[in-house]
Amino acid sequence: LNSSQVLLHKIDSSQEDISRKVAATKDAMEQLSSKQAEMLETVTGSKESTKNELLDSVANSGKALLQKLDSSQQTLLQRQGDAHELLVRVSQSQEGMVQKLGTSSEAASR
């Protein structure tokens, strides 16, 4: 039972860490979007090629941040799956121990 509580605590901690990373990435995306809007206003009078280069640069940065966010979410899902698998095994092991204790108890009472 103690090991299950420790595992649950580790899972919760891991999920909180990844949730914070996802939130930080989301904030970065929002800041990037805001900065992109500011840059577009600034570049209004610039040459078309400069605008396109700037837009490409911003798009690539946004794409990289989205990939990082996706990767973080995939990591979270993987860790949750691993944790669930581990908890199922712990539960099965505990059920086995309870059955053995019950069998031993019955044998001792005879």
Side-chain angles (χ1 to χ4, degrees):
L1 186 61
N2 243 359
S3 62
S4 295
Q5 290 173 333
V6 169
L7 288 172
L8 283 173
H9 177 69
K10 286 182 180 179
I11 291 167
D12 286 344
S13 177
S14 175
Q15 288 174 341
E16 288 173 7
D17 288 344
I18 292 177
S19 293
R20 280 192 288 270
K21 288 178 184 177
V22 168
T25 304
K26 181 182 173 194
D27 290 344
M29 286 295 294
E30 289 172 356
Q31 288 177 352
L32 178 66
S33 178
S34 172
K35 294 293 181 186
Q36 180 182 10
E38 288 176 23
M39 285 190 289
L40 282 174
E41 288 177 17
T42 305
V43 202
T44 336
S46 299
K47 292 181 182 177
E48 193 62 32
S49 64
T50 305
K51 286 182 195 178
N52 289 338
E53 287 173 14
L54 181 60
L55 287 173
D56 287 344
S57 174
V58 170
N60 289 335
S61 296
K63 190 175 184 178
L65 285 171
L66 284 173
Q67 287 173 340
K68 184 176 180 182
L69 176 61
D70 183 56
S71 174
S72 295
Q73 290 174 337
Q74 291 298 326
T75 302
L76 174 62
L77 288 173
Q78 179 64 40
R79 286 185 181 172
Q80 285 177 331
D82 293 346
H84 176 73
E85 225 176 270
L86 186 59
L87 287 174
V88 166
R89 281 187 272 157
V90 167
S91 174
Q92 290 170 344
S93 174
Q94 288 175 342
E95 287 172 7
M97 284 190 260
V98 166
Q99 287 176 352
K100 286 179 183 177
L101 285 173
T103 305
S104 297
S105 176
E106 288 174 12
S109 67
R110 290 184 196 162

